[in-house]
Amino acid sequence: MERVIIIGSGPAGLTAALYTARANLAPLVLAGGIYGGQLMLTTEVENYPGFPEGIMGPDLMERFRAQAERFGARIRNEDCTRVDFNGGRLRCWVGHEELEAESVVVATGASARWLGLPNEARLRGRGVSTCATCDGAFFRDKEILVVGGGDSAMEEAIFLTRFGRRVRVVHRRDHLRASKIMADRCLAHPKIEFVWNSVVQDVHGDPVMQEATLQNVVTGELTKIEADALFIAIGHDPNTAIFRGQLDLDDAGYIRSGDGVSTNVPGVFVAGDVFDQRYRQAVTAAGSGCRAALEAEKHLEHYAAVH
Ligand code: NAP
């Protein structure tokens, strides 16, 4: 029987690991085959407090990991493939291996949707990004494209006007999905232009992005334009497939938390983007990882008292 199993290894999961390790709970972290979360996909992180010169996303996650391990967290780079929280037991599987815990922290995150362009993966972190707050400052006085017509795209576009020479929002329809207030703010912004009824067909440049090919979906016409950055803001998907039927999820698939970081199952806590649609920052994820760890610790004291 494990005291704590932590599922996920982004800032939320590894902060929960650090705190529960320092509480002598020897947490087991199921870090995932692709560990480290979304920061592994970004380049320089300039807004994580404590690193005034910035730090590369993967380096930051290595430090999170080393710090948790220093206090006794055990980290397995394997996916949790199934959970069963019924009958008062908290069981997790890694393939055929069954594990049981007295408490579980779910920190599996949410993944930004990508477009799947031919050159997208090659130019990730070299112009192509899904996070304006992470990467916007690298494109001072540059030509920036944003894809999407929802609130996220509007928010990213407005934020990016601080840096870009011009921000062009490419939307596949001629009507925005965004709330009126956000849409109006963008439509009135002197630095933002809209490219309606259009999709990005591919991005080009080596080693960094320099151009994009757009296609007008009404006429089929292809246009190549100069662009240094492409911010994709077409939504996120929470990584909650294994929790369906086990934890309360909202309509978008995010885990519902009661007050703070608790779930509908006693002993199971949440942290990070898997329940937080609003802030989605590394530092807020780390903060909720700390809260989940403290709640798990409190739950375990109660567990010890009744067992
Ligand atoms: P969203 O509302 O689902 O919008 C996604 C946008 O991306 C839509 O305009 C959609 O086009 C477009 N899109 C989806 N797949 C695409 C593809 N493959 N190619 C091109 N375009 C594609 O997602 P979101 O903007 O991330 O917002 C999610 C939720 O968070 C919403 O409820 C939103 O209100 C909320 N939110 C609020 C704020 C705020 O209030 N400040 C900020 C961010 C998010 P179509 O319109 O054609 O479907």
Side-chain angles (χ1 to χ4, degrees):
M1 176 73 88
E2 298 287 342
R3 309 282 339 255
V4 188
I5 290 179
I6 296 165
I7 310 173
S9 58
L14 291 177
T15 302
L18 170 64
Y19 272 76
T20 49
R22 283 178 50 80
N24 273 340
L25 297 172
L28 175 65
V29 182
L30 301 179
I34 305 171
Y35 75 90
Q38 296 229 74
L39 285 190
M40 300 299 276
L41 303 177
T42 184
T43 50
E44 199 162 8
V45 180
E46 291 184 325
N47 57 6
Y48 199 85
F51 296 91
E53 284 85 33
I55 181 166
M56 299 300 279
D59 293 344
L60 180 59
M61 293 324 298
E62 282 304 324
R63 287 174 177 240
F64 266 75
R65 189 179 169 120
Q67 195 172 359
E69 283 178 324
R70 182 181 153 207
F71 295 103
R74 293 162 298 138
I75 301 180
R76 289 174 56 172
N77 290 346
E78 288 168 291
D79 288 324
C80 177
T81 48
R82 183 159 86 87
V83 298
D84 188 342
F85 298 150
N86 293 306
R89 296 172 68 190
L90 305 178
R91 294 185 293 162
C92 304
W93 279 261
V94 176
H96 293 296
E97 184 186 355
E98 183 183 333
L99 303 162
E100 188 167 350
E102 293 165 9
S103 68
V104 172
V105 175
V106 175
T108 47
S111 302
R113 293 186 195 135
W114 295 86
L115 286 167
L117 309 174
N119 282 304
E120 184 177 272
R122 182 176 63 80
L123 291 173
R124 263 187 212 180
R126 297 180 170 82
V128 179
S129 170
T130 52
C131 178
T133 42
C134 315
D135 298 327
F138 301 118
F139 300 100
R140 276 180 209 282
D141 217 24
K142 302 281 190 188
E143 286 285 342
I144 297 175
L145 301 180
V146 174
V147 181
D151 280 330
S152 294
M154 300 305 108
E155 202 168 70
E156 303 269 270
I158 291 167
F159 179 76
L160 289 163
T161 59
R162 298 184 198 185
F163 311 107
R165 177 163 71 234
R166 171 168 57 169
V167 177
R168 280 182 280 190
V169 178
V170 181
H171 184 35
R172 62 185 177 183
R173 295 187 291 139
D174 63 358
H175 190 78
L176 294 172
R177 177 178 297 280
S179 55
K180 185 157 169 30
I181 184 166
M182 297 288 283
D184 286 350
R185 211 177 285 164
C186 262
L187 290 163
H189 199 291
K191 265 189 167 180
I192 299 177
E193 291 174 17
F194 283 82
V195 186
W196 300 108
N197 294 318
S198 296
V199 292
V200 178
Q201 212 203 36
D202 204 1
V203 283
H204 318 279
D206 193 2
V208 296
M209 180 178 159
Q210 286 168 319
E211 279 183 333
T213 303
L214 306 188
Q215 181 169 39
N216 183 303
V217 294
V218 178
T219 63
E221 190 190 347
L222 294 173
T223 323
K224 241 185 188 173
I225 59 167
E226 183 202 333
D228 305 287
L230 172 71
F231 286 87
I232 301 168
I234 59 171
H236 283 75
D237 293 315
N239 300 319
T240 50
I242 59 169
F243 304 109
R244 210 162 276 284
Q246 300 291 326
L247 295 176
D248 273 355
L249 306 180
D250 68 14
D251 292 343
Y254 287 83
I255 295 174
R256 280 188 212 276
S257 64
D259 52 335
V261 293
S262 54
T263 68
N264 60 308
V265 176
V268 178
F269 303 94
V270 272
D273 292 6
V274 74
F275 85 115
D276 168 25
Q277 278 204 66
R278 187 174 172 83
Y279 299 108
R280 298 196 290 231
Q281 301 298 302
V283 66
T284 53
S288 62
C290 166
R291 291 168 66 191
L294 297 177
E295 292 300 331
E297 215 182 308
K298 210 187 295 169
H299 170 82
L300 290 174
E301 280 166 21
H302 173 73
Y303 186 93
V306 296
H307 283 79

